[in-house]
Amino acid sequence: MEKPQITRPEDACGKGFDKVFAFLREQFLAGAIKPGDRLTPERELCQRLGVSRPVLREALRALAMIGVVEILHGVGTIVRRPDVSVLGEFFAFALAQRADMTDDVMQARIAIECQAIRLACQRATLADIERLRGALDHIRSTIDDPTAGAEADHAFHDAMVRASKSETLLCLYQAMGEVLRQSHRDRRDLVRRYGNMKDHVAQDHERLFQAIVARDERNADDILRKHFAIGDEYRRRAALADPSAPT
Amino acid sequence: MEKPQITRPEDACGKGFDKVFAFLREQFLAGAIKPGDRLTPERELCQRLGVSRPVLREALRALAMIGVVEILHGVGTIVRRPDVSVLGEFFAFALAQRADMTDDVMQARIAIECQAIRLACQRATLADIERLRGALDHIRSTIDDPTAGAEADHAFHDAMVRASKSETLLCLYQAMGEVLRQSHRDRRDLVRRYGNMKDHVAQDHERLFQAIVARDERNADDILRKHFAIGDEYRRRAALADPSAPT
DNA sequence: TGACCTGATGTGGTATGACCACACTACTGA
DNA sequence: TCAGTAGTGTGGTCATACCACATCAGGTCA
C-alpha cells in the first residue's frame, strides 16, 4: 500500500527527464563540469542518477541542441561552451513562415552594426584595421561579381563587428548569419540591376573604413545608417518595378 | 557481402536521430506542419519513419528544447512557434562562468535600444506614447524604492522597445531579459548611493519621452547614449570606491 | 626494426516490448 | 441531471540486447 518510497533524498525534485536535465544544468552552472570535460559514460551516469538510458539520452540530446554538450559516437559526451551556431538553428525555425521577418531582421542588423562600429572606433587594433582594409580591397575587386561580391560585403561587415571586441554583439550578429547572407545576396542582385549603385557600394565602405581609422564614432554611425538607408531605397525601388521580387 | 540494403528510397539521408530531426525540420520549414498542429502520436510516427520510439523521442526533446514543439503528457505533441524564452535558457548556459559577460551584454542592450528608440520615433502609436507616459510616471513615483524603481525603469525601456514595432529587436531584447533586470537592479543600487543620480534618472527618462513624442530620432539616440554613459560612469566610480562591488 | 594489420575494449546508437502516468471521453448509475 | 467511473489514447519510463564507431594494444609481415 505504501506508494512513493523515495530511495534517496535528492530524488525529491522532478522525475526522469526533468531530474536529469536539472542535475546536469546545476552541475554546469555551478562549475562542477566545465567546457572540455568528458562526461561520465551514459551507462554509468544513468545508473548513478537512477534513470534509464533512453531518458538520460533525451536529456543529453536536449543539451546538445543548445550546444552545452557535444555527443561523439564512440568517443563520449564532451562539455562545450554554448556557441552561437545553435542560435542559427533557432532563428531558422523562428523565422520560418514569416517572410516579412526577413525585413525586420534588418533592423536588428542595423542596431548591432551601428553599435559595433562605434565600439570599433574605440577598440579596433591594427590587425582589425588591416583585416578591414583587406575586405575593402576585396569589395572593390569583386564589385561586378554578385556571388563573390556578396561574400566580400559580408566579410567587411563581419570584420567590423569583430573589431568591436564585443562577444555579445558578435554572438547576436552571427546568430542572424544565414539571414544576413541572404540580405547581402539580395543587395548584390540590385547592384546588377542598378549600375550606379556600384559606386555607392564602393564609396560607402571606403568611407566607413576611413571613419573607423579616424576613430570618429559619430560620423561612422551616420555613414553606416546612410549606407543602409540607400540599400533600403534601392530595394524599395526594385519592389515597385518588379512586384514579384523579394521585398 | 552486400552491406547497406536500404529498404526505402527516402532513407538515403541520415539514419536514426538525424533522419527524424531532418524530417521534422523539413516538414516545419516547408510549412507542412504549422504552429498549433498536433503531431502524429509517437508510436505511429516512429513506425512511419522506421525508427524506434526512444530515438524519435530524442528528436522531439531536441525540438522541444528550442521551442519548436511542446510535449504535453497525456495530450500529445503540439507544434509551436519558437519563442524567445528558449533563448533565455541558452543565455543562462552561455553566460555561466563568465562574469565579465554581464558587462558586455550591456553593449548589446545599447545597440538594441538605440535602434529601437529611432524606430519608436517613426512608428510609436498613441497607445505606445501613453504606455511610455505611464512608465515615466511610475519611475518618478518609485524613485526612492530600489526594487520597484528598477522594475519601473525596466518597464519604461521595455515599452520603448515595444514601440519600435520590431519583433526581432524585441525578441533579442527579451532574450537578454534576465541579465537586463540585474543590470537595472545594479543601477538602482547606485542611485541609493549617489543621491544626485536620482535627478539624472528622472530627467533622462523625461527627455527620452519628449524626444519620442517629438519624433526626433537623432536627438533621442543621443540622449539615450548619454543616459547609458552616465550610468556607466557611476558604475565605474562605484567600482573604484568599492572594489568588491559588482562592476 | 619498422609499418601495417587486427582484434579487444569502451563508447555512443538503436531496437524492442512492456508497463506506468496523465488527460480526455463516454458510459453508467444514482 | 449530475457525479462518479471505466475505457481509451497519449506521453513517460524502464530493461535488455545488440549494432556501429573510435581507440589502442598487440601481433604480423616486410
Side-chain angles (χ1 to χ4, degrees):
Chain A
M1 284 305 150
E2 78 281 354
K3 287 253 307 292
Q5 172 61 0
I6 291 178
T7 46
R8 284 174 300 186
E10 68 265 30
D11 289 1
C13 59
K15 304 285 305 174
F17 176 87
D18 292 323
K19 180 166 77 174
V20 178
F21 191 83
F23 172 80
L24 292 172
R25 178 200 173 93
E26 187 190 342
Q27 291 278 303
F28 186 88
L29 295 184
I33 55 180
K34 296 182 296 295
D37 293 353
R38 207 172 102 264
L39 225 55
T40 308
E42 295 182 357
R43 290 171 176 79
E44 186 183 340
L45 190 54
C46 69
Q47 202 164 26
R48 195 184 301 177
L49 290 174
V51 298
S52 67
R53 243 187 105 197
V55 170
L56 174 69
R57 285 179 56 77
E58 283 180 27
L60 291 179
R61 286 286 196 192
L63 288 171
M65 184 56 39
I66 60 174
V68 177
V69 300
E70 183 178 6
I71 305 176
L72 300 177
H73 189 174
V75 179
T77 303
I78 314 296
V79 180
R80 299 280 185 222
R81 182 158 63 76
D83 174 72
V84 291
S85 57
V86 309
L87 290 186
E89 188 82 39
F90 168 80
F91 274 95
F93 281 100
L95 299 180
Q97 308 191 37
R98 308 181 72 190
D100 61 312
M101 200 67 170
T102 314
D103 216 42
D104 195 51
V105 169
M106 195 62 191
Q107 299 302 333
R109 184 187 166 188
I110 298 173
I112 292 168
E113 287 201 29
C114 286
Q115 178 66 9
I117 203 172
R118 281 174 178 265
L119 289 176
C121 286
Q122 295 173 20
R123 306 174 176 176
T125 63
L126 280 181
D128 292 320
I129 301 287
E130 282 313 306
R131 192 158 33 237
L132 282 166
R133 191 197 303 279
L136 185 59
D137 291 341
H138 206 225
I139 285 180
R140 290 204 195 93
S141 63
T142 61
I143 196 73
D144 291 312
D145 180 343
T147 307
E151 279 306 311
D153 202 323
H154 184 276
F156 182 88
H157 289 265
D158 187 76
M160 210 174 70
V161 176
R162 285 178 191 279
S164 77
K165 297 282 182 290
S166 166
E167 276 198 53
T168 308
L169 287 181
L170 185 59
C171 168
L172 295 178
Y173 193 72
Q174 292 185 330
M176 301 184 294
E178 256 319 298
V179 186
L180 292 186
R181 277 176 197 280
Q182 186 57 50
S183 133
H184 278 107
R185 276 190 291 269
D186 290 348
R187 168 171 296 219
R188 284 320 173 107
D189 280 341
L190 295 178
V191 172
R192 209 176 33 191
R193 272 189 257 180
Y194 302 94
N196 58 338
M197 191 178 167
K198 197 191 297 183
D199 303 324
H200 278 304
V201 171
Q203 276 176 28
D204 282 3
H205 289 96
E206 169 69 33
R207 292 176 65 201
L208 287 174
F209 176 72
Q210 293 300 343
I212 293 174
V213 172
R215 303 201 179 276
D216 186 345
E217 277 191 40
R218 180 136 183 168
N219 193 30
D221 188 328
D222 283 342
I223 296 171
L224 188 53
R225 284 182 193 280
K226 284 205 192 87
H227 174 61
F228 285 129
I230 290 175
D232 198 47
E233 175 60 30
Y234 274 103
R235 205 180 316 153
R236 205 164 319 195
R237 209 181 296 176
L240 284 176
D242 176 13
S244 72
T247 57
Chain B
M1 280 309 152
E2 82 281 355
K3 286 253 308 294
Q5 172 59 2
I6 290 176
T7 47
R8 284 175 300 184
E10 68 264 30
D11 289 0
C13 60
K15 304 284 304 174
F17 176 86
D18 291 322
K19 179 166 77 172
V20 178
F21 191 85
F23 172 80
L24 291 172
R25 178 200 173 92
E26 188 190 342
Q27 290 278 303
F28 187 88
L29 296 184
I33 55 180
K34 296 182 297 294
D37 292 354
R38 208 172 102 264
L39 226 55
T40 308
E42 294 183 358
R43 290 172 177 77
E44 186 183 340
L45 190 53
C46 69
Q47 202 164 24
R48 193 184 304 178
L49 290 174
V51 299
S52 65
R53 243 187 105 197
V55 170
L56 175 69
R57 285 178 57 75
E58 284 179 26
L60 291 179
R61 286 286 196 193
L63 288 172
M65 183 55 41
I66 60 174
V68 176
V69 302
E70 183 178 6
I71 305 175
L72 299 177
H73 190 174
V75 178
T77 302
I78 314 296
V79 180
R80 299 279 185 223
R81 183 158 64 76
D83 175 71
V84 289
S85 58
V86 310
L87 289 187
E89 187 83 38
F90 168 80
F91 275 97
F93 280 100
L95 298 180
Q97 307 189 38
R98 308 182 70 190
D100 61 312
M101 199 68 168
T102 314
D103 215 41
D104 196 51
V105 169
M106 195 62 190
Q107 299 302 333
R109 184 187 165 187
I110 297 173
I112 293 168
E113 287 201 30
C114 285
Q115 179 65 6
I117 203 171
R118 280 173 179 264
L119 289 176
C121 286
Q122 295 173 19
R123 306 174 175 176
T125 63
L126 281 181
D128 293 320
I129 301 287
E130 282 312 307
R131 192 157 34 238
L132 282 166
R133 190 198 304 279
L136 185 59
D137 290 341
H138 207 225
I139 284 180
R140 290 204 195 92
S141 63
T142 61
I143 195 74
D144 292 312
D145 180 341
T147 307
E151 279 305 312
D153 201 323
H154 184 275
F156 182 89
H157 289 265
D158 187 76
M160 210 174 71
V161 176
R162 284 178 191 280
S164 77
K165 298 283 182 290
S166 166
E167 276 197 52
T168 308
L169 287 181
L170 186 59
C171 169
L172 295 178
Y173 193 72
Q174 292 184 330
M176 303 185 292
E178 256 319 298
V179 186
L180 292 186
R181 277 177 197 279
Q182 185 58 49
S183 134
H184 277 107
R185 275 191 290 269
D186 291 346
R187 169 171 294 219
R188 284 319 172 109
D189 280 341
L190 295 178
V191 171
R192 206 176 36 193
R193 273 190 257 178
Y194 302 94
N196 59 337
M197 190 178 168
K198 198 191 296 183
D199 301 325
H200 278 304
V201 171
Q203 274 176 28
D204 283 2
H205 289 95
E206 168 70 32
R207 292 176 65 201
L208 287 173
F209 176 73
Q210 292 300 344
I212 293 174
V213 172
R215 303 199 180 278
D216 186 344
E217 277 191 40
R218 179 139 186 165
N219 193 30
D221 189 327
D222 283 341
I223 295 171
L224 188 52
R225 284 183 193 280
K226 284 205 192 89
H227 175 61
F228 285 129
I230 289 175
D232 198 46
E233 175 60 29
Y234 274 102
R235 206 180 315 153
R236 204 163 321 196
R237 207 182 297 176
L240 285 175
D242 176 14
S244 72
T247 57

